[in-house]
Short mmCIF file of all heavy atoms in Angstrom, two decimals:
data_model
loop_
_atom_site.label_atom_id
_atom_site.label_comp_id
_atom_site.label_asym_id
_atom_site.label_seq_id
_atom_site.Cartn_x
_atom_site.Cartn_y
_atom_site.Cartn_z
N MET A 3 -99.78 -36.51 89.25
CA MET A 3 -98.92 -37.45 88.68
C MET A 3 -99.71 -38.58 87.93
O MET A 3 -100.62 -39.11 88.46
CB MET A 3 -98.13 -38.18 89.80
CG MET A 3 -96.66 -38.53 89.33
SD MET A 3 -95.69 -39.23 90.70
CE MET A 3 -95.02 -37.74 91.47
N SER A 4 -99.29 -38.85 86.77
CA SER A 4 -100.03 -39.82 86.04
C SER A 4 -99.74 -41.26 86.64
O SER A 4 -98.85 -41.41 87.37
CB SER A 4 -99.50 -39.81 84.52
OG SER A 4 -98.20 -40.44 84.37
N ASN A 5 -100.62 -42.12 86.19
CA ASN A 5 -100.61 -43.45 86.77
C ASN A 5 -99.27 -44.13 86.40
O ASN A 5 -98.69 -44.81 87.13
CB ASN A 5 -101.81 -44.30 86.25
CG ASN A 5 -101.98 -45.66 87.06
OD1 ASN A 5 -101.66 -45.76 88.21
ND2 ASN A 5 -102.39 -46.67 86.35
N ASN A 6 -98.85 -43.90 85.21
CA ASN A 6 -97.62 -44.46 84.73
C ASN A 6 -96.51 -44.04 85.44
O ASN A 6 -95.60 -44.75 85.98
CB ASN A 6 -97.35 -44.26 83.18
CG ASN A 6 -98.24 -44.96 82.41
OD1 ASN A 6 -98.75 -46.08 82.71
ND2 ASN A 6 -98.38 -44.49 81.12
N LEU A 7 -96.46 -42.79 85.85
CA LEU A 7 -95.26 -42.21 86.62
C LEU A 7 -95.44 -42.70 88.11
O LEU A 7 -94.36 -42.87 88.75
CB LEU A 7 -95.37 -40.70 86.60
CG LEU A 7 -94.21 -39.88 87.21
CD1 LEU A 7 -92.84 -40.43 86.64
CD2 LEU A 7 -94.30 -38.44 87.03
N GLN A 8 -96.49 -42.78 88.76
CA GLN A 8 -96.66 -43.37 90.04
C GLN A 8 -96.01 -44.79 90.10
O GLN A 8 -95.59 -45.19 91.10
CB GLN A 8 -98.13 -43.41 90.39
CG GLN A 8 -98.71 -41.99 90.65
CD GLN A 8 -100.22 -42.14 90.97
OE1 GLN A 8 -100.80 -43.19 90.84
NE2 GLN A 8 -100.72 -41.01 91.54
N GLN A 9 -96.11 -45.53 88.95
CA GLN A 9 -95.61 -46.85 89.02
C GLN A 9 -94.11 -46.87 88.61
O GLN A 9 -93.44 -47.96 88.60
CB GLN A 9 -96.45 -47.72 88.04
CG GLN A 9 -97.86 -47.92 88.61
CD GLN A 9 -98.62 -48.79 87.59
OE1 GLN A 9 -98.17 -49.31 86.59
NE2 GLN A 9 -99.93 -48.93 87.98
N ALA A 10 -93.60 -45.82 88.26
CA ALA A 10 -92.14 -45.80 87.72
C ALA A 10 -91.17 -45.98 88.78
O ALA A 10 -91.62 -45.67 90.11
CB ALA A 10 -91.88 -44.43 87.07
N PRO A 11 -89.84 -46.36 88.53
CA PRO A 11 -89.03 -46.51 89.57
C PRO A 11 -88.68 -45.16 90.26
O PRO A 11 -88.91 -44.07 89.62
CB PRO A 11 -87.72 -46.93 88.81
CG PRO A 11 -88.26 -47.46 87.65
CD PRO A 11 -89.51 -46.72 87.24
N THR A 12 -88.30 -45.17 91.43
CA THR A 12 -87.94 -43.99 92.28
C THR A 12 -87.01 -42.91 91.52
O THR A 12 -87.31 -41.76 91.63
CB THR A 12 -87.35 -44.30 93.67
OG1 THR A 12 -88.31 -45.15 94.30
CG2 THR A 12 -87.11 -43.10 94.48
N HIS A 13 -85.96 -43.50 90.87
CA HIS A 13 -85.06 -42.51 90.26
C HIS A 13 -85.74 -41.74 89.07
O HIS A 13 -85.37 -40.64 88.76
CB HIS A 13 -83.69 -43.22 89.72
CG HIS A 13 -84.07 -44.25 88.68
ND1 HIS A 13 -84.39 -45.50 88.95
CD2 HIS A 13 -83.74 -44.24 87.33
CE1 HIS A 13 -84.52 -46.16 87.82
NE2 HIS A 13 -84.15 -45.39 86.82
N ILE A 14 -86.74 -42.39 88.36
CA ILE A 14 -87.44 -41.74 87.30
C ILE A 14 -88.26 -40.68 87.98
O ILE A 14 -88.34 -39.47 87.45
CB ILE A 14 -88.28 -42.76 86.59
CG1 ILE A 14 -87.42 -43.80 85.97
CG2 ILE A 14 -89.17 -41.96 85.51
CD1 ILE A 14 -86.50 -43.31 84.82
N LYS A 15 -88.98 -41.02 88.97
CA LYS A 15 -89.95 -39.88 89.63
C LYS A 15 -89.10 -38.77 90.16
O LYS A 15 -89.45 -37.55 90.02
CB LYS A 15 -90.69 -40.60 90.86
CG LYS A 15 -91.66 -41.58 90.38
CD LYS A 15 -92.46 -41.96 91.73
CE LYS A 15 -92.44 -43.52 91.83
NZ LYS A 15 -93.21 -43.91 92.98
N LEU A 16 -87.85 -39.03 90.71
CA LEU A 16 -87.00 -37.95 91.17
C LEU A 16 -86.49 -37.06 90.09
O LEU A 16 -86.48 -35.97 90.09
CB LEU A 16 -85.83 -38.58 91.96
CG LEU A 16 -84.74 -37.64 92.47
CD1 LEU A 16 -85.38 -36.56 93.45
CD2 LEU A 16 -83.63 -38.30 93.04
N ALA A 17 -86.20 -37.67 89.07
CA ALA A 17 -85.69 -36.88 87.82
C ALA A 17 -86.85 -35.95 87.22
O ALA A 17 -86.60 -34.89 87.04
CB ALA A 17 -85.22 -37.89 86.70
N VAL A 18 -88.05 -36.55 87.19
CA VAL A 18 -89.17 -35.82 86.70
C VAL A 18 -89.44 -34.57 87.64
O VAL A 18 -89.73 -33.44 87.34
CB VAL A 18 -90.48 -36.63 86.56
CG1 VAL A 18 -91.65 -35.87 86.28
CG2 VAL A 18 -90.32 -37.62 85.38
N ASP A 19 -89.41 -34.88 88.98
CA ASP A 19 -89.53 -33.83 90.03
C ASP A 19 -88.51 -32.68 89.79
O ASP A 19 -88.82 -31.57 89.96
CB ASP A 19 -89.52 -34.36 91.44
CG ASP A 19 -90.76 -35.16 91.75
OD1 ASP A 19 -91.86 -35.07 91.01
OD2 ASP A 19 -90.76 -35.94 92.75
N LEU A 20 -87.30 -33.15 89.63
CA LEU A 20 -86.03 -32.15 89.49
C LEU A 20 -86.36 -31.38 88.26
O LEU A 20 -86.02 -30.08 88.31
CB LEU A 20 -84.78 -32.85 89.53
CG LEU A 20 -84.38 -33.48 90.89
CD1 LEU A 20 -83.14 -34.23 90.61
CD2 LEU A 20 -84.19 -32.42 91.84
N ILE A 21 -86.67 -31.94 87.23
CA ILE A 21 -86.89 -31.22 85.92
C ILE A 21 -88.00 -30.22 86.09
O ILE A 21 -87.94 -29.03 85.66
CB ILE A 21 -87.21 -32.14 84.81
CG1 ILE A 21 -86.00 -33.03 84.50
CG2 ILE A 21 -87.83 -31.44 83.47
CD1 ILE A 21 -86.34 -34.21 83.64
N MET A 22 -89.16 -30.64 86.70
CA MET A 22 -90.19 -29.70 86.99
C MET A 22 -89.79 -28.49 87.86
O MET A 22 -90.10 -27.39 87.56
CB MET A 22 -91.38 -30.43 87.43
CG MET A 22 -92.11 -31.39 86.58
SD MET A 22 -93.37 -32.40 87.21
CE MET A 22 -94.41 -31.22 87.98
N LEU A 23 -89.02 -28.83 88.90
CA LEU A 23 -88.74 -27.80 89.81
C LEU A 23 -87.70 -26.70 89.11
O LEU A 23 -87.93 -25.60 89.21
CB LEU A 23 -87.95 -28.39 90.97
CG LEU A 23 -87.32 -27.47 91.99
CD1 LEU A 23 -88.41 -26.72 92.87
CD2 LEU A 23 -86.32 -28.13 93.02
N LEU A 24 -86.83 -27.27 88.42
CA LEU A 24 -85.84 -26.34 87.64
C LEU A 24 -86.56 -25.55 86.59
O LEU A 24 -86.38 -24.36 86.36
CB LEU A 24 -84.66 -27.16 87.11
CG LEU A 24 -83.82 -27.79 88.13
CD1 LEU A 24 -82.87 -28.85 87.49
CD2 LEU A 24 -82.96 -26.85 88.83
N GLU A 25 -87.52 -26.23 85.94
CA GLU A 25 -88.24 -25.47 84.90
C GLU A 25 -89.14 -24.32 85.47
O GLU A 25 -89.30 -23.26 84.89
CB GLU A 25 -89.01 -26.42 84.04
CG GLU A 25 -88.16 -27.25 82.95
CD GLU A 25 -88.92 -28.14 82.14
OE1 GLU A 25 -90.06 -28.49 82.36
OE2 GLU A 25 -88.23 -28.70 81.27
N GLN A 26 -89.79 -24.73 86.66
CA GLN A 26 -90.71 -23.74 87.19
C GLN A 26 -89.88 -22.57 87.82
O GLN A 26 -90.40 -21.37 87.81
CB GLN A 26 -91.35 -24.41 88.54
CG GLN A 26 -92.43 -25.44 88.06
CD GLN A 26 -92.97 -26.22 89.25
OE1 GLN A 26 -92.45 -26.12 90.46
NE2 GLN A 26 -94.01 -27.00 88.84
N HIS A 27 -88.61 -22.79 88.12
CA HIS A 27 -87.79 -21.68 88.53
C HIS A 27 -86.99 -20.86 87.38
O HIS A 27 -86.21 -20.12 87.74
CB HIS A 27 -86.91 -22.06 89.70
CG HIS A 27 -87.58 -22.27 90.94
ND1 HIS A 27 -88.31 -23.54 91.19
CD2 HIS A 27 -87.87 -21.47 91.85
CE1 HIS A 27 -88.84 -23.34 92.50
NE2 HIS A 27 -88.63 -22.16 92.86
N ASP A 28 -87.25 -21.44 86.18
CA ASP A 28 -86.71 -20.86 84.98
C ASP A 28 -85.09 -20.67 85.12
O ASP A 28 -84.51 -19.68 84.82
CB ASP A 28 -87.29 -19.44 84.72
CG ASP A 28 -87.09 -18.90 83.22
OD1 ASP A 28 -87.00 -19.87 82.42
OD2 ASP A 28 -87.09 -17.67 83.09
N VAL A 29 -84.49 -21.74 85.55
CA VAL A 29 -83.09 -21.96 85.68
C VAL A 29 -82.55 -22.09 84.30
O VAL A 29 -82.95 -23.04 83.53
CB VAL A 29 -82.65 -22.94 86.67
CG1 VAL A 29 -81.16 -23.04 86.82
CG2 VAL A 29 -83.32 -22.79 88.06
N ALA A 30 -81.51 -21.36 84.02
CA ALA A 30 -80.77 -21.59 82.68
C ALA A 30 -80.20 -23.02 82.52
O ALA A 30 -79.58 -23.48 83.53
CB ALA A 30 -79.82 -20.48 82.54
N PRO A 31 -80.34 -23.62 81.40
CA PRO A 31 -79.79 -24.92 81.12
C PRO A 31 -78.28 -25.08 81.59
O PRO A 31 -77.94 -26.13 82.10
CB PRO A 31 -80.07 -25.19 79.62
CG PRO A 31 -81.23 -24.40 79.38
CD PRO A 31 -81.03 -23.11 80.16
N ASP A 32 -77.46 -24.12 81.22
CA ASP A 32 -76.03 -24.18 81.44
C ASP A 32 -75.87 -24.19 83.01
O ASP A 32 -75.01 -24.80 83.55
CB ASP A 32 -75.31 -23.15 80.79
CG ASP A 32 -75.59 -21.64 81.18
OD1 ASP A 32 -76.90 -21.41 81.25
OD2 ASP A 32 -74.75 -20.89 81.28
N GLU A 33 -76.60 -23.40 83.73
CA GLU A 33 -76.55 -23.36 85.16
C GLU A 33 -76.93 -24.69 85.80
O GLU A 33 -76.40 -25.25 86.69
CB GLU A 33 -77.39 -22.24 85.77
CG GLU A 33 -76.90 -20.83 85.40
CD GLU A 33 -75.45 -20.55 85.81
OE1 GLU A 33 -75.07 -20.97 86.95
OE2 GLU A 33 -74.61 -19.91 85.09
N VAL A 34 -78.05 -25.31 85.23
CA VAL A 34 -78.46 -26.62 85.73
C VAL A 34 -77.46 -27.66 85.43
O VAL A 34 -77.16 -28.47 86.43
CB VAL A 34 -79.79 -27.09 84.96
CG1 VAL A 34 -80.15 -28.48 85.30
CG2 VAL A 34 -80.92 -26.07 85.26
N LEU A 35 -76.85 -27.71 84.36
CA LEU A 35 -75.86 -28.61 84.07
C LEU A 35 -74.61 -28.54 85.03
O LEU A 35 -74.10 -29.59 85.46
CB LEU A 35 -75.36 -28.62 82.66
CG LEU A 35 -76.44 -29.02 81.61
CD1 LEU A 35 -76.04 -28.74 80.14
CD2 LEU A 35 -76.80 -30.39 81.82
N LYS A 36 -74.12 -27.22 85.35
CA LYS A 36 -73.02 -27.02 86.18
C LYS A 36 -73.46 -27.44 87.62
O LYS A 36 -72.65 -28.13 88.24
CB LYS A 36 -72.65 -25.61 86.22
CG LYS A 36 -72.16 -25.03 85.01
CD LYS A 36 -71.79 -23.44 85.17
CE LYS A 36 -71.31 -22.88 83.80
NZ LYS A 36 -71.33 -21.50 83.93
N ALA A 37 -74.59 -27.17 88.07
CA ALA A 37 -75.02 -27.67 89.38
C ALA A 37 -75.21 -29.17 89.43
O ALA A 37 -74.87 -29.80 90.44
CB ALA A 37 -76.54 -26.89 89.71
N LEU A 38 -75.64 -29.82 88.38
CA LEU A 38 -75.80 -31.21 88.40
C LEU A 38 -74.47 -31.90 88.47
O LEU A 38 -74.29 -32.97 89.06
CB LEU A 38 -76.59 -31.71 87.18
CG LEU A 38 -77.95 -31.36 87.16
CD1 LEU A 38 -78.66 -31.81 85.78
CD2 LEU A 38 -78.77 -32.08 88.33
N GLU A 39 -73.34 -31.27 87.82
CA GLU A 39 -72.10 -31.88 87.98
C GLU A 39 -71.62 -31.90 89.54
O GLU A 39 -71.10 -32.94 89.94
CB GLU A 39 -71.05 -31.08 87.19
CG GLU A 39 -71.25 -31.31 85.70
CD GLU A 39 -70.24 -30.46 85.02
OE1 GLU A 39 -69.06 -30.17 85.45
OE2 GLU A 39 -70.56 -30.11 83.80
N ILE A 40 -72.00 -30.86 90.20
CA ILE A 40 -71.55 -30.72 91.64
C ILE A 40 -72.30 -31.77 92.39
O ILE A 40 -71.81 -32.46 93.25
CB ILE A 40 -71.74 -29.26 92.14
CG1 ILE A 40 -70.88 -28.32 91.43
CG2 ILE A 40 -71.63 -29.31 93.64
CD1 ILE A 40 -71.20 -26.83 91.65
N VAL A 41 -73.70 -31.81 92.23
CA VAL A 41 -74.54 -32.86 92.88
C VAL A 41 -74.07 -34.24 92.60
O VAL A 41 -74.00 -35.09 93.49
CB VAL A 41 -76.05 -32.53 92.49
CG1 VAL A 41 -76.77 -33.68 92.98
CG2 VAL A 41 -76.52 -31.20 92.85
N LYS A 42 -73.81 -34.58 91.26
CA LYS A 42 -73.41 -35.74 90.99
C LYS A 42 -72.08 -36.23 91.72
O LYS A 42 -71.95 -37.26 92.34
CB LYS A 42 -73.21 -35.99 89.40
CG LYS A 42 -72.76 -37.49 89.03
CD LYS A 42 -72.57 -37.57 87.55
CE LYS A 42 -72.31 -38.97 87.27
NZ LYS A 42 -71.79 -39.11 85.88
N SER A 43 -71.16 -35.36 91.74
CA SER A 43 -69.86 -35.58 92.39
C SER A 43 -70.17 -35.75 93.91
O SER A 43 -69.49 -36.65 94.50
CB SER A 43 -68.93 -34.37 92.16
OG SER A 43 -67.76 -34.47 92.87
N ASP A 44 -70.94 -35.01 94.60
CA ASP A 44 -71.17 -35.14 95.92
C ASP A 44 -71.74 -36.48 96.35
O ASP A 44 -71.36 -37.25 97.21
CB ASP A 44 -72.10 -34.07 96.31
CG ASP A 44 -72.50 -34.10 97.86
OD1 ASP A 44 -71.54 -33.93 98.66
OD2 ASP A 44 -73.61 -34.31 98.22
N PHE A 45 -72.77 -36.89 95.41
CA PHE A 45 -73.42 -38.14 95.70
C PHE A 45 -72.45 -39.37 95.39
O PHE A 45 -72.63 -40.43 95.97
CB PHE A 45 -74.83 -38.16 95.04
CG PHE A 45 -75.85 -37.64 95.88
CD1 PHE A 45 -76.11 -36.24 95.70
CD2 PHE A 45 -76.50 -38.32 96.80
CE1 PHE A 45 -77.12 -35.69 96.49
CE2 PHE A 45 -77.53 -37.75 97.47
CZ PHE A 45 -77.87 -36.41 97.43
N GLU A 46 -71.53 -39.24 94.48
CA GLU A 46 -70.68 -40.38 94.19
C GLU A 46 -69.64 -40.43 95.20
O GLU A 46 -69.28 -41.51 95.73
CB GLU A 46 -69.83 -40.06 92.92
CG GLU A 46 -70.73 -40.25 91.59
CD GLU A 46 -70.01 -39.82 90.36
OE1 GLU A 46 -69.09 -38.89 90.47
OE2 GLU A 46 -70.39 -40.23 89.28
N LYS A 47 -69.22 -39.29 95.89
CA LYS A 47 -68.45 -39.51 97.11
C LYS A 47 -69.25 -40.08 98.36
O LYS A 47 -68.69 -40.89 99.05
CB LYS A 47 -68.08 -37.98 97.55
CG LYS A 47 -66.85 -37.39 96.61
CD LYS A 47 -66.61 -35.91 97.11
CE LYS A 47 -65.59 -35.33 96.10
NZ LYS A 47 -65.53 -34.00 96.45
N LYS A 48 -70.52 -39.71 98.48
CA LYS A 48 -71.18 -40.34 99.61
C LYS A 48 -71.37 -41.86 99.29
O LYS A 48 -71.33 -42.68 100.15
CB LYS A 48 -72.60 -39.62 99.57
CG LYS A 48 -72.59 -38.25 100.27
CD LYS A 48 -73.97 -37.63 100.16
CE LYS A 48 -73.80 -36.19 100.68
NZ LYS A 48 -74.99 -35.45 100.69
N GLN A 49 -71.57 -42.32 98.04
CA GLN A 49 -71.70 -43.57 97.58
C GLN A 49 -70.48 -44.40 97.97
O GLN A 49 -70.46 -45.52 98.53
CB GLN A 49 -72.22 -43.83 96.24
CG GLN A 49 -72.54 -45.22 95.95
CD GLN A 49 -73.05 -45.29 94.36
OE1 GLN A 49 -72.49 -44.63 93.56
NE2 GLN A 49 -74.03 -46.08 94.19
N SER A 50 -69.35 -43.76 97.67
CA SER A 50 -68.02 -44.40 97.84
C SER A 50 -67.70 -44.51 99.30
O SER A 50 -67.23 -45.57 99.76
CB SER A 50 -66.94 -43.57 97.31
OG SER A 50 -66.90 -43.51 95.79
N ASN A 51 -68.08 -43.59 100.12
CA ASN A 51 -67.84 -43.63 101.58
C ASN A 51 -68.78 -44.74 102.20
O ASN A 51 -68.34 -45.54 103.03
CB ASN A 51 -68.19 -42.23 102.28
CG ASN A 51 -67.12 -41.24 101.89
OD1 ASN A 51 -66.00 -41.51 101.44
ND2 ASN A 51 -67.52 -40.04 102.12
N LYS A 52 -70.00 -44.80 101.68
CA LYS A 52 -70.90 -45.79 102.24
C LYS A 52 -70.37 -47.25 101.87
O LYS A 52 -70.34 -48.14 102.72
CB LYS A 52 -72.30 -45.67 101.57
CG LYS A 52 -73.32 -46.57 102.18
CD LYS A 52 -74.68 -46.44 101.59
CE LYS A 52 -75.77 -47.25 102.13
NZ LYS A 52 -77.04 -47.03 101.51
N LEU A 53 -69.78 -47.41 100.63
CA LEU A 53 -69.25 -48.72 100.20
C LEU A 53 -68.01 -49.12 101.04
O LEU A 53 -67.68 -50.27 101.14
CB LEU A 53 -69.02 -48.71 98.70
CG LEU A 53 -70.31 -48.69 97.84
CD1 LEU A 53 -69.82 -48.56 96.42
CD2 LEU A 53 -71.17 -49.87 98.07
N ALA A 54 -67.29 -48.09 101.43
CA ALA A 54 -66.04 -48.23 102.21
C ALA A 54 -66.27 -48.77 103.56
O ALA A 54 -65.34 -49.24 104.27
CB ALA A 54 -65.15 -47.03 102.11
N LEU A 55 -67.37 -48.56 104.14
CA LEU A 55 -67.70 -48.93 105.56
C LEU A 55 -67.90 -50.40 105.66
O LEU A 55 -68.15 -51.14 104.91
CB LEU A 55 -68.87 -48.23 105.98
CG LEU A 55 -68.79 -46.74 106.09
CD1 LEU A 55 -70.14 -46.05 106.63
CD2 LEU A 55 -67.71 -46.26 107.16
#
């Protein structure tokens, strides 16, 4: 990991890691986008539930 990336915010590092993982597994872009919609929805629900507590 480059020095700039090591100093990047956690969400940037996570995005880079996810991109690398998906590219290494040669996942089709349309499948990635469909999966990301599901992941986003799941984490939005988790965030809502956490805020409701």
Side-chain angles (χ1 to χ4, degrees):
M3 206 178 278
S4 74
N5 193 33
N6 287 341
L7 189 53
Q8 288 176 347
Q9 296 176 2
T12 301
H13 67 281
I14 299 294
K15 291 187 236 180
L16 178 59
V18 170
D19 287 344
L20 290 170
I21 291 167
M22 290 175 56
L23 176 71
L24 294 165
E25 288 180 349
Q26 288 170 354
H27 287 85
D28 200 27
V29 181
D32 59 321
E33 295 297 327
V34 171
L35 294 173
K36 289 176 189 176
L38 288 174
E39 287 178 27
I40 295 167
V41 171
K42 183 177 181 198
S43 175
D44 181 64
F45 276 88
E46 287 173 339
K47 287 177 189 172
K48 288 177 183 176
Q49 187 177 39
S50 293
N51 289 341
K52 185 178 179 184
L53 294 175
L55 295 177

